[in-house]
Amino acid sequence: MAQITKDTIIGDILDIAPQTAPVFLSIGMHCLGCPSSRGETVEQACMVHGVDVESLLNEINKLVPAAK
């Protein structure tokens, strides 16, 4: 898997790395199964929830399996 970027769709992240769900929950994304939240990019979610995108990306990328 390539590194997660601000343009990556949250649903795609959750599909390949469900262990990232607590990170999204910690920023206030409590409806991870909703179509709208699964279709948002990381950047869009950060804007809505007032979170620094780079900080969130750092946390998520620590949990996503390395590219093979």
Side-chain angles (χ1 to χ4, degrees), residues 1-2 4 8 10-20 63-65:
M1 176 67 200
I4 303 301
T8 306
I10 291 173
D12 294 342
I13 299 168
L14 293 170
D15 289 344
I16 58 140
Q19 67 274 21
T20 61
L63 299 174
V64 175

Side-chain angles (χ1 to χ4, degrees), residues 9-68:
I9 302 294
I10 291 173
D12 294 342
I13 299 168
L14 293 170
D15 289 344
I16 58 140
Q19 67 274 21
T20 61
V23 176
F24 291 110
L25 292 170
S26 75
I27 68 163
M29 289 192 69
H30 298 289
C31 187
L32 294 178
C34 296
S36 60
S37 69
R38 286 191 55 93
E40 285 182 330
T41 65
V42 173
E43 183 175 44
Q44 290 168 328
C46 286
M47 286 190 309
V48 170
H49 295 282
V51 174
D52 178 69
V53 69
E54 293 303 322
S55 295
L56 183 62
L57 286 171
N58 286 335
E59 290 301 312
I60 292 170
N61 278 303
K62 288 177 189 174
L63 299 174
V64 175
K68 297 187 182 202

